[in-house]
Amino acid sequence: MSKLGRVLLVGGGGYVGVELQKLLAKANYKVIVLDTFWYRSGKWGKSDGKFVENIEYIEGDIRDREVVRNALKEADACIHLACISNDPSYELNPNLAKSINFDSFLMFIEEINKSPIKKLIFASSSSVYGVKEEENVTEDLICEPLTDYSKFKVLCEDFALNNISDEICLTIVRPSTICGYSRRQRFDLVVNILTISALSNDIINVEGGDQFRPNLHIKDMNASYKLILEADPKIINRKIYNIAGENLTVLEIAKKVQLQMKHKSEIKILPVLDQRSYRVSGNKIATELGFIPKFSVDEAITDIKNAYEADKYSDLNSEFYYNIKQMKLLMLQGTIK
């Protein structure tokens, strides 16, 4: 695809999406972002750089068919990121979450089939694997999702594969848990949680610790989206790719965090609340597209530490850093219905 192509980011105002906007805009793509912008930091301003001239923002709900239809008309390719993005937020209001994560996606596929879009990348999740004992979880292993969030990701994958137009190149990605600094920062992801806890409280609370989690630097996540966007459709059409980084236990992550602190933080072991444990293999995308992650968990910890020390985070208790807190506030205000 030409670097002058038009790319629609559905749900592009989130933790990953806001940094993806910048990456693609700097690469001379025309970036169109459809989002509700429940998080104010999901947009770049003119003072952030010339790349902002390549970004158009559409504030709208992905459950609104007309909004989706009009946004799709403007683009050549689409990256679908939109969802209620973690289990606690999903469980806060399951009916609302289902309407966003699943029902709207069925309508989205109907509309994209009638649009000029030629390439779709759908962001699923590595959480679809559930608990796996295998040392390398590959894309051909059966999905055993443990929560509604991951169950609906699997259903969306299946629906897209079975119902999208033959004229559209479809690629599904299953990202590992993202980590690192973003303009729209999150502190409810494992590496980020442990890092900010150590920085602000000198305590690292670890639930269990033996669970394996795949972790991926946000810069590598977005580099993979750009790579797939530019890849030959003959290679990537109807493919599912794990986007994998480092497979570490939660305790191993905590020890990496501890090593970077000026004052030694105490690691406290708590009861296990999240039983998920799996090690994801990124061999398929490495073999077929040459994608090898360049950034480490250590670098993600450093990035957050540097941002903290530079006073880039205003109030660490702010709902803007925690999806479930923001969801609760927006529901209380009546913003989300």
Side-chain angles (χ1 to χ4, degrees):
M1 176 179 294
S2 166
K3 287 189 176 181
L4 296 176
R6 301 168 300 169
V7 183
L8 172 65
L9 304 183
V10 177
Y15 172 58
V16 170
V18 70
E19 296 297 328
L20 183 56
Q21 294 174 34
K22 184 177 182 179
L23 177 70
L24 295 179
K26 281 192 166 186
N28 291 323
Y29 283 94
K30 170 66 177 178
V31 180
I32 304 156
V33 184
L34 170 59
D35 203 293
T36 55
F37 297 103
W38 290 336
Y39 300 87
R40 63 190 177 199
S41 49
K43 294 180 181 179
W44 297 92
K46 291 182 180 179
S47 62
D48 292 311
K50 191 173 177 60
F51 71 90
V52 178
E53 295 175 5
N54 286 338
I55 304 175
E56 174 189 348
Y57 293 110
I58 302 173
E59 188 165 337
D61 195 317
I62 60 166
R63 294 171 293 176
D64 186 322
R65 186 180 291 270
E66 185 175 356
V67 166
V68 170
R69 181 180 297 157
N70 289 334
L72 287 167
K73 288 178 182 177
E74 301 299 317
D76 307 304
C78 177
I79 302 175
H80 191 290
L81 304 167
C83 65
I84 302 296
S85 61
N86 62 4
D87 295 327
S89 298
Y90 194 104
E91 291 160 5
L92 189 63
N93 187 330
N95 290 331
L96 170 70
K98 178 177 178 288
S99 75
I100 293 171
N101 286 27
F102 182 64
D103 297 337
S104 74
F105 187 74
L106 306 188
M107 177 268 287
F108 170 81
I109 293 297
E110 291 177 5
E111 291 303 320
I112 200 171
N113 284 342
K114 297 181 284 187
S115 78
I117 298 284
K118 297 301 180 186
K119 182 177 281 189
L120 170 64
I121 303 171
F122 172 62
S124 183
S125 168
S126 64
S127 67
V128 299
Y129 294 116
V131 177
K132 296 289 187 187
E133 297 297 330
E134 290 86 349
E135 289 191 11
N136 288 293
V137 174
T138 58
E139 294 85 349
D140 57 348
L141 290 181
I142 189 170
C143 292
E144 298 177 294
L146 299 178
T147 64
D148 283 345
Y149 167 76
S150 50
K151 288 174 184 175
F152 282 118
K153 283 294 188 185
V154 174
L155 289 174
C156 286
E157 288 185 14
D158 291 342
F159 188 83
L161 287 166
N162 290 318
N163 292 279
I164 200 162
S165 167
D166 291 337
E167 303 300 314
I168 300 173
C169 172
L170 169 67
T171 307
I172 294 167
V173 296
R174 293 174 178 167
S176 297
T177 302
I178 312 302
C179 55
Y181 174 79
S182 168
R183 176 185 177 88
R184 205 254 99 178
Q185 189 64 56
R186 284 180 62 183
F187 291 135
D188 51 7
L189 299 162
V190 61
V191 173
N192 300 3
I193 293 170
L194 300 181
T195 303
I196 204 64
S197 177
L199 287 166
S200 58
N201 300 314
D202 287 331
I203 295 174
I204 308 172
N205 291 321
V206 176
E207 295 175 0
D210 293 333
Q211 317 96 298
F212 273 95
R213 293 292 167 76
N215 307 276
L216 184 71
H217 198 290
I218 189 170
K219 291 180 181 177
D220 284 318
M221 180 70 254
N222 285 332
S224 74
Y225 280 129
K226 184 173 181 291
L227 179 66
I228 294 169
L229 190 64
E230 296 171 351
D232 185 344
K234 293 178 182 177
I235 298 174
I236 63 171
N237 192 23
R238 304 307 192 266
K239 294 286 186 69
I240 298 175
Y241 292 111
N242 290 335
I243 314 296
E246 295 175 74
N247 294 300
L248 301 167
T249 66
V250 179
L251 184 56
E252 286 173 335
I253 297 169
K255 289 179 178 178
K256 283 181 173 291
V257 171
Q258 189 181 49
L259 285 172
Q260 291 205 36
M261 297 300 113
K262 292 178 181 177
H263 305 288
K264 187 172 182 180
S265 300
E266 178 187 358
I267 294 177
K268 286 189 174 182
I269 305 298
L270 305 176
V272 179
L273 296 177
D274 190 341
Q275 299 286 350
R276 290 175 301 149
S277 182
Y278 48 95
R279 288 162 282 186
V280 170
S281 169
N283 186 62
K284 182 177 178 181
I285 194 169
T287 301
E288 296 187 7
L289 297 180
F291 176 74
I292 304 293
K294 294 180 179 179
F295 300 93
S296 66
V297 166
D298 287 318
E299 287 170 294
I301 295 166
T302 300
D303 291 345
I304 292 173
K305 179 171 173 280
N306 289 343
Y308 176 81
E309 291 175 348
D311 292 324
K312 289 190 176 182
Y313 307 129
S314 54
D315 174 8
L316 292 179
N317 292 316
S318 170
E319 62 274 2
F320 291 112
Y321 300 128
Y322 304 89
N323 282 6
I324 191 165
K325 287 184 179 181
Q326 179 71 345
M327 289 285 293
K328 285 180 178 178
L329 176 63
L330 293 172
M331 290 170 67
L332 184 65
Q333 294 174 339
T335 304
I336 301 179
K337 298 177 182 179

